[in-house]
Amino acid sequence: MSHKVAFSFADGKTLFFPVNGNEILLDAAMRSGINIPLDCREGVCGTCQGRCDSGEYSQDYVDEEALSEQDLAQRKMLTCQTRIKSDAAFYFDFASTLCNAVGPAPLRGIVRAVEQISPNTAILHVDAGADGQQLDFLPGQYARLQVPGTQQKRSYSFANRPNTTNQLQFLIRLLPDGVMSNYIRERCVIGDEIMLEAPLGAFYLRHVDKPLIFVAGGTGLSAFLGMLDELAERGGCGQPVHLYYGVRDAADLCETARIAAYAERIPGFRFSPVISDPDPQWTGKRGYIAEHFDASELRDTASDLYLCGPPPMVESIKTWLSAQNLNNAHLYLEKFTESNT
């Protein structure tokens, strides 16, 4: 029996490859052309160290000089001693170029649909399976799309989980005069060819063993839709999941029916939309997301806190956490900026 493994690197590249049953992870990686730096191959030097972000694994031998008990508790591992027991994802804190690894090749996609789901947001549906090439990615990662008819590229998080037919979704913020925005509004035709580079990014769903807090600002929601699709497919994760979703105006809220439906498939799921500049008719949460966090809950319970949105939102939440002296939350961050051209 073989398993699918993802190696993600500090330069944002992610590479997928198969691992045969009971095969040493390092051997499988090298067989696929991914030459992880190594020295001893005996579990002593620690050169091939990485971290398991999801999946089950065992290690044959790890010297205490290579990995401490704390390292092991943090799911750090030695590639030369690791055998995996399920599909898994690993992170390495160095660039993929150190492995002489070839990055993801450009992939051809076909536009299948465009839906405007709010005054300022559209969902672009892309079929990337036309050439029969399987696209693997981790929920939360992104792709760089080349805007048809131009040489310009823009980055968008996948808004769905990986699937065997390579049907992809992307949330697109419609700017007054953006290259992708103008294409969507003025020239987009079903059947258009669109080139993409993927998968990219180190923001993705990790191994879940603590409560999850997802914080989305604007179209930062896209990454969390992929993560929530994955959790729903699994039937939950054994931990509570709370999605905070902040936008300026209630009209900007997207995919609320889809989000509400997660409650039926993810036990312990909660959803808190927050409007920063609401009209008088809005009866829900107002202001900024951090104002609605439960500081006592965050202080008493270790959690994984994922943030995805514009830099001011991410920085404001980091500042709030620091001011509250909350150290129990493990932060995973994705800041994005919208191009004005």
Side-chain angles (χ1 to χ4, degrees), residues 114-124 170-175 181 184-185 218-219 221 245-256 275 338:
V114 178
E115 303 173 68
Q116 186 159 349
I117 55 175
S118 83
N120 299 305
T121 311
I123 293 186
L124 178 66
F170 302 96
L171 285 188
I172 310 292
R173 175 73 171 173
L174 298 176
L175 302 173
S181 302
I184 293 290
R185 280 190 296 255
T219 52
L221 175 69
Y245 175 24
V247 294
R248 181 181 298 275
D249 186 271
D252 293 324
L253 290 170
C254 301
E255 296 289 81
T256 52
I275 309 302
E338 294 171 340

Side-chain angles (χ1 to χ4, degrees), residues 168-216:
L168 309 176
Q169 300 173 21
F170 302 96
L171 285 188
I172 310 292
R173 175 73 171 173
L174 298 176
L175 302 173
D177 189 26
V179 174
M180 180 64 84
S181 302
N182 290 342
Y183 164 72
I184 293 290
R185 280 190 296 255
E186 300 168 5
R187 307 190 311 277
C188 182
V189 176
I190 305 307
D192 278 355
E193 183 176 290
I194 188 165
M195 300 301 296
L196 56 143
E197 178 188 358
L200 298 168
F203 185 76
Y204 51 84
L205 184 64
R206 266 68 174 185
H207 175 75
V208 181
D209 58 6
K210 296 186 286 292
L212 296 176
I213 301 173
F214 292 161
V215 181

Side-chain angles (χ1 to χ4, degrees), residues 176-304:
D177 189 26
V179 174
M180 180 64 84
S181 302
N182 290 342
Y183 164 72
I184 293 290
R185 280 190 296 255
E186 300 168 5
R187 307 190 311 277
C188 182
V189 176
I190 305 307
D192 278 355
E193 183 176 290
I194 188 165
M195 300 301 296
L196 56 143
E197 178 188 358
L200 298 168
F203 185 76
Y204 51 84
L205 184 64
R206 266 68 174 185
H207 175 75
V208 181
D209 58 6
K210 296 186 286 292
L212 296 176
I213 301 173
F214 292 161
V215 181
T219 52
L221 175 69
S222 192
F224 295 117
L225 292 175
M227 294 184 189
L228 290 165
D229 277 0
E230 178 65 24
L231 293 176
E233 183 68 18
R234 298 179 191 175
C237 58
Q239 297 288 343
V241 181
H242 194 162
L243 170 66
Y244 291 88
Y245 175 24
V247 294
R248 181 181 298 275
D249 186 271
D252 293 324
L253 290 170
C254 301
E255 296 289 81
T256 52
R258 176 177 173 181
I259 294 169
Y262 289 130
E264 299 178 3
R265 302 179 63 195
I266 304 174
F269 176 73
R270 289 188 292 163
F271 173 43
S272 296
V274 182
I275 309 302
S276 63
D277 188 21
D279 59 34
Q281 286 72 40
W282 176 253
T283 59
K285 291 180 170 59
R286 299 166 173 256
Y288 296 100
I289 291 174
E291 297 170 4
H292 300 281
F293 285 153
D294 186 335
S296 61
E297 180 182 3
L298 286 170
R299 185 172 292 109
D300 296 339
T301 305
S303 59
D304 284 337

Side-chain angles (χ1 to χ4, degrees), residues 5 65 165 222:
V5 167
E65 294 296 324
T165 58
S222 192

